[in-house]
Amino acid sequence: MTELHEIVDRYFAAWNETDRTRRLDHIAAAWAPEARYVDPLSDVAGHAGFDAMLTGLQAQYPEHTVQRTSAIEQHHDCVRFEWEILDPEAAVFVTGVDYAQLAADGRLLSVTGFFGTAAPEEVAA
């Protein structure tokens, strides 16, 4: 599990790194070359696609930070963890959960992000 924690930590470090060279190092450590990232607002592939998305988000939301807020759960090649984005005053801007699939080398092959928590199911009485 330590290696997985390192990969997920590097994934979050990429989100927060404003120096492009260091961000690309984090991406290369955490992401398989063919990795895909999808959330309600984005659908990007590869290291360059993920880097471009992060560059755009950092420009749109300067000084916001992303942090993991849950344990990392894994079974087989599937992983999930919760996160939050904090604004510059450290107030929660948005929360969510990521579901990931690992590549054979242990790096992230795909990440699907959802904002907020799962909507409660309406149960008929």
Side-chain angles (χ1 to χ4, degrees):
M1 191 63 119
T2 300
E3 184 175 314
L4 178 58
H5 273 86
E6 291 172 10
I7 288 168
V8 174
D9 287 348
R10 295 291 293 267
Y11 167 71
F12 281 102
W15 280 91
N16 294 316
E17 182 58 63
T18 57
D19 178 272
R20 186 164 189 264
T21 300
R22 289 194 301 256
R23 184 173 55 245
L24 288 171
D25 286 343
H26 292 307
I27 291 170
W31 283 83
E34 68 278 19
R36 179 177 176 210
Y37 176 86
V38 179
D39 71 22
L41 304 175
S42 302
D43 187 345
V44 299
H47 293 184
F50 189 58
D51 177 56
M53 181 196 73
L54 294 178
T55 299
L57 287 171
Q58 289 175 355
Q60 188 174 3
Y61 301 102
E63 299 181 35
H64 285 61
T65 57
V66 184
Q67 63 184 21
R68 183 168 52 87
T69 58
S70 74
I72 301 168
E73 296 181 275
Q74 178 186 12
H75 66 77
H76 302 85
D77 64 346
C78 300
V79 178
R80 76 173 173 180
F81 44 85
E82 296 175 2
W83 50 264
E84 65 187 8
I85 298 176
L86 302 176
D87 69 16
E89 289 77 38
V92 175
F93 179 70
V94 67
T95 64
V97 61
D98 283 356
Y99 296 89
Q101 181 181 13
L102 301 175
D105 68 3
R107 290 185 291 173
L108 300 169
L109 179 61
S110 69
V111 176
T112 303
F114 288 83
F115 300 151
T117 58
E121 183 175 354
E122 291 187 29
V123 180

